[in-house]
Amino acid sequence: GQQVMQIPQYQHVQEGEDFTTYCNSSTTLSNIQWYKQRPGGHPVFLIQLVKSGEVKKQKRLTFQFGEAKKNSSLHITATQTTDVGTYFCAGPNFNKFYFGSGTKLNVKP
Amino acid sequence: EADIYQTPRYLVIGTGKKITLECSQTMGHDKMYWYQQDPGMELHLIHYSYGVNSTEKGDLSSESTVSRIRTEHFPLTLESARPSHTSQYLCASSDLANTGELFFGEGSRLTVL
């Protein structure tokens, strides 16, 4: 079956440092989505990428979709304590929706 | 704000009890999903549905069952709960286009003693 892997599993940064998480799929994806889950909360949708090589920005967050549509990345510039949480990528496969293993971000003030 | 609701939020029960976790959405979404997530871990798809009277098992084997008699309602049932069922269960829905975002409920945290 489809596998979606994310690295790193954990990342501890000092506030103000940058952060990047990488997502790799074993199969080509029609689109990829990113979610954020705060501690004790539920996943919340951040963005969707559809086109090969697409890049989208949301304030300090930059999302990329690989040319082969099998990998993606999320980069946060100048992290803040409000960025703490687990970031998941997710991709569809027919009627299923698979989530990556997640990257847990901790930001020290 | 997402209009998807899960009850109960927290449930502590004894081994062997039957439980039903409720999930309802008022967005008219055709697709609904159940994920199981242990604290701080990844989400595992256990059931999904793409419309009324359609249900399928996900990739993670689960002893739970689901039903989809109405578009807005997707309950999950455990006939005989065991300690290994202790986990958080997250319900989600999306539109039929398969590119729509998933809206998650707040989750049901189940503890089986």
Side-chain angles (χ1 to χ4, degrees):
Chain A
Q2 178 176 343
Q3 289 189 335
V4 182
M5 306 300 294
Q6 273 183 261
I7 56 170
Q9 189 175 2
Y10 301 96
Q11 187 79 58
H12 301 271
V13 299
Q14 198 72 40
E15 189 172 23
E17 293 181 338
D18 292 356
F19 159 77
T20 304
T21 173
Y22 300 90
C23 178
N24 293 288
S25 170
S26 58
T27 60
T28 301
L29 300 168
S30 59
N31 67 83
I32 195 160
Q33 299 180 4
W34 284 91
Y35 291 78
K36 177 184 178 181
Q37 184 175 24
R38 292 181 186 275
H42 59 278
V44 175
F45 176 81
L46 292 176
I47 208 162
Q48 176 177 271
L49 304 169
V50 179
K51 299 177 184 176
S52 169
E54 188 170 13
V55 178
K56 286 189 176 180
K57 292 192 175 187
Q58 286 180 350
K59 297 182 180 178
R60 295 179 294 104
L61 276 62
T62 301
F63 304 84
Q64 290 188 326
F65 200 11
E67 293 290 341
K69 301 183 77 172
K70 295 178 73 172
N71 57 75
S72 181
S73 66
L74 157 60
H75 179 81
I76 302 178
T77 303
T79 54
Q80 300 174 358
T81 55
T82 53
D83 295 325
V84 166
T86 302
Y87 293 85
F88 292 97
C89 61
N93 184 353
F94 297 102
N95 287 308
K96 300 179 183 180
F97 223 94
Y98 290 98
F99 279 77
S101 43
T103 295
K104 189 175 294 185
L105 172 64
N106 187 38
V107 181
K108 292 177 287 187
Chain B
E1 279 298 311
D3 295 315
I4 179 164
Y5 308 99
Q6 288 187 243
T7 58
R9 289 289 312 278
Y10 302 93
L11 180 62
V12 181
I13 59 168
T15 297
K17 299 291 186 184
K18 176 180 178 179
I19 62 119
T20 296
L21 305 180
E22 303 287 350
C23 177
S24 295
Q25 51 95 4
T26 58
M27 298 172 282
H29 287 168
D30 288 295
K31 291 191 169 183
M32 296 190 75
Y33 309 82
W34 276 103
Y35 290 88
Q36 185 174 340
Q37 183 185 36
D38 292 326
M41 304 298 285
E42 58 192 289
L43 288 84
H44 295 286
L45 180 66
I46 52 175
H47 297 284
Y48 65 99
S49 166
Y50 39 89
V52 171
N53 293 326
S54 91
T55 61
E56 300 286 345
K57 288 188 178 293
D59 287 343
L60 181 68
S61 176
S62 175
E63 293 162 346
S64 58
T65 59
V66 292
S67 62
R68 191 87 183 276
I69 300 172
R70 303 197 316 266
T71 297
E72 61 271 21
H73 197 212
F74 192 40
L76 180 145
T77 298
L78 273 167
E79 289 294 332
S80 180
R82 294 205 302 270
S84 60
H85 296 137
T86 295
S87 188
Q88 173 163 256
Y89 294 84
L90 288 160
C91 179
S93 72
S94 69
D95 63 38
L96 195 59
N98 201 38
T99 57
E101 66 183 273
L102 264 63
F103 293 89
F104 281 87
E106 298 281 347
S108 291
R109 197 173 294 276
L110 173 66
T111 301
V112 184
L113 304 175

